[in-house]
Amino acid sequence: MSWQSYVDDHLMCEIEGGGGNHLSSAAIIGHDGSVWAQSANFPKFKPEEVIAIMKDFDEPGSLAPTGLHLAGAKYMVIQGEPGAVVRGKKGAGGVTVKKTGQALVFGIYEEPVTPGQCNMVVERLGDYLVDQGL
């Protein structure tokens, strides 16, 4: 399966029980910031933004004072799983980032999608990739 089909079929799919809702955008990005696959509308992020997110996985809490930035948009960092998941909130939407052995799985959502639905979609794929050794 191509990385693009993981994004299209597993991240941008209709959310179970979500009434036809799905994530706003999603991507799988290597630890080095290279894009493995992304939805057409995933924001054009800066390499230093991915570096800062990677640092938070190594040093949980490092993003909290500055916020999580993605394509210049600032998200308030909310409780995640240290070393595994970083979550951000911005207005009625937000972002979930799950770290796997080789990649970061991003999901961005807006209302009516809930933070829990985004977490479920992103973390389920992330856990699957971890199980596959990726």
Side-chain angles (χ1 to χ4, degrees):
M1 186 184 309
S2 77
W3 289 111
Q4 191 61 49
S5 49
Y6 280 113
V7 169
D8 297 341
D9 302 340
H10 297 279
L11 294 174
M12 295 303 292
C13 59
E14 191 171 308
I15 294 170
E16 291 169 30
N21 298 324
H22 53 80
L23 300 179
S24 307
S25 59
I28 302 172
I29 296 171
H31 288 179
D32 61 359
S34 60
V35 175
W36 293 11
Q38 62 185 4
S39 62
N41 56 349
F42 192 77
K44 181 82 179 111
F45 62 88
K46 301 179 180 94
E48 58 268 24
E49 294 171 332
V50 173
I51 291 167
I53 293 167
M54 283 298 296
K55 181 179 178 201
D56 194 79
F57 285 115
D58 295 333
E59 301 171 29
S62 68
L63 279 178
T66 58
L68 184 161
H69 291 80
L70 197 60
K74 181 178 178 179
Y75 294 84
M76 180 178 69
V77 177
I78 53 178
Q79 185 60 47
E81 294 169 37
V85 179
V86 174
R87 299 185 181 110
K89 185 104 178 86
K90 181 180 187 305
V95 61
T96 302
V97 185
K98 167 78 177 180
K99 183 181 182 203
T100 73
Q102 299 175 25
L104 300 174
V105 180
F106 284 79
I108 298 176
Y109 67 94
E110 297 291 342
E111 276 188 326
V113 175
T114 66
Q117 289 172 320
C118 181
N119 295 342
M120 179 188 70
V121 170
V122 171
E123 293 175 38
R124 185 169 52 197
L125 178 61
D127 290 341
Y128 170 78
L129 295 176
V130 168
D131 290 345
Q132 300 302 306
L134 300 165

